[in-house]
Amino acid sequence: MQLQIDVNSVKSTIFLELLNLFKKDNMINDYKVIDDGKTAYDDEVLNDLSMIGDSLRDAKNGLGHRTSTIVTIEDV
């Protein structure tokens, strides 16, 4: 599985240490730091991901929010 996360640059050292700990404990296979250049599609996906909590709460209350973005997670 692949996951991309945008991390605050001030707190990135703490996050990298956490990733190293996960790697040592064999919870993750590997990770890499990539360039932070974003496209319009990246912005749309990040916006959709930021709304997951609200969407789950709305769904629990019988409401919902539809977007045109489909995220496919493939085993790599």
Side-chain angles (χ1 to χ4, degrees), residues 9 14-15 17 25 27 29-30 33 39-40 54 59 61 67 69:
S9 61
I14 295 169
F15 188 74
E17 288 299 323
D25 288 342
M27 293 176 70
N29 293 328
D30 200 5
V33 178
T39 65
D54 293 338
N61 294 325
T67 67
T69 301

Side-chain angles (χ1 to χ4, degrees), residues 7-67:
V7 179
N8 181 325
S9 61
V10 175
K11 299 175 183 174
S12 62
T13 305
I14 295 169
F15 188 74
L16 288 173
E17 288 299 323
L18 182 62
L19 287 175
N20 281 327
L21 177 64
F22 286 161
K23 188 173 179 179
K24 287 178 186 175
D25 288 342
N26 293 323
M27 293 176 70
I28 61 173
N29 293 328
D30 200 5
Y31 66 91
K32 65 180 175 177
V33 178
I34 57 174
D35 184 17
D36 64 351
K38 288 191 271 183
T39 65
Y41 175 77
D42 294 336
D43 288 336
E44 185 178 351
V45 170
L46 290 172
N47 184 39
D48 288 345
L49 289 174
S50 71
M51 294 187 304
I52 287 177
D54 293 338
S55 297
L56 291 174
R57 189 171 32 260
D58 288 347
K60 186 177 180 181
N61 294 325
L63 304 172
H65 181 77
R66 291 183 177 252
T67 67

